[in-house]
Amino acid sequence: QKEVEQDPGPLSVPEGAIVSLNCTYSNSAFQYFMWYRQYSRKGPELLMYTYSSGNKEDGRFTAQVDKSSKYISLFIRDSQPSDSATYLCAMGKDSSASKIIFGSGTRLSIRP
Amino acid sequence: NAGVTQTPKFQVLKTGQSMTLQCAQDMNHEYMSWYRQDPGMGLRLIHYSVGAGITDQGEVPNGYNVSRSTTEDFPLRLLSAAPSQTSVYFCASSRSGAGVGNEQFFGPGTRLTVL
């Protein structure tokens, strides 16, 4: 079993919809959680990170962590065609870690 | 600043050949890492370095060597290429680690095919 599971998609939604992307994990030692966005044929770029259970908002993006369920989510409000990309979750065991574990990524397409 | 640069962008090798993937950063970052990305597998850490002269293994180090003689450069060497090493390789760097507050900046990737 992988330490981090992520539905690969593809997920296709119309412009303006609310998008929900999710990851589950098995190791309760994970303490901090990140979301990366990767456009086609580009390197990933950090979108958001959280260090505790609860919600963190940044513009149209909200990251949610539920440690009791080992479940994290990324919500995108008012989705735009420019949000079309692959979204990867990542997580680490402590704030000074040298290694993080990535999910396999969910491919998202926003239809104009 | 150029950020993280990788060369070559594309490479085709025959089984058994060796080659070096180059990675350089101009942000004076201490931490550098190499990942491979395969369909359905996400990014997997190959090797990483927390500073010049210091390297360590990640999840999938077999068949790869690294060295870090300068802060700027972190080359990845394939010793004897195998078809299982066909992948997209990403180099990344950050101020001091992979944890919170240390955003990793990724290069554009090298697409490697081993025949």
Side-chain angles (χ1 to χ4, degrees), chain B residues 18 28 46 73 82:
Chain B
S18 62
N28 202 32
I46 304 172
D73 300 296

Side-chain angles (χ1 to χ4, degrees), chain A residues 17-88:
Chain A
I18 295 174
V19 176
S20 171
L21 304 167
N22 311 295
C23 286
T24 58
Y25 61 97
S26 58
N27 193 335
S28 58
F30 287 132
Q31 296 294 324
Y32 65 92
F33 308 88
M34 289 156 282
W35 286 96
Y36 280 80
R37 178 175 60 195
Q38 184 177 22
Y39 290 115
S40 182
R41 296 187 174 261
K42 302 286 187 185
E45 54 182 352
L46 182 66
L47 200 56
M48 294 183 70
Y49 70 84
T50 57
Y51 194 57
S52 61
S53 286
N55 294 354
K56 182 177 180 180
E57 192 172 316
D58 184 1
R60 297 184 295 109
F61 299 88
T62 299
Q64 191 174 78
V65 174
D66 181 349
K67 285 187 179 178
S68 62
S69 302
K70 299 190 182 70
Y71 188 87
I72 68 170
S73 301
L74 178 70
F75 298 97
I76 307 174
R77 289 187 302 281
D78 188 25
S79 55
Q80 305 293 311
S82 58
D83 296 326
S84 297
T86 296
Y87 290 80
L88 302 109

Side-chain angles (χ1 to χ4, degrees), chain A residues 2 32 38 41 44 49 95 97-98, chain B residues 31 37 40 98-100 106 111:
Chain A
K2 292 181 186 177
Y32 65 92
Q38 184 177 22
R41 296 187 174 261
Y49 70 84
S95 61
S98 296
Chain B
Y31 180 90
Q37 187 173 35
V100 169
F106 284 81
R111 293 180 175 273

Side-chain angles (χ1 to χ4, degrees), chain A residues 38-44, chain B residues 2-9 22-24 37 88-92 105-111:
Chain A
Q38 184 177 22
Y39 290 115
S40 182
R41 296 187 174 261
K42 302 286 187 185
Chain B
V4 179
T5 58
Q6 291 182 238
T7 56
K9 285 188 170 52
Q22 301 291 345
C23 174
Q37 187 173 35
V88 181
Y89 291 85
F90 288 100
C91 178
F105 294 86
F106 284 81
T110 294
R111 293 180 175 273

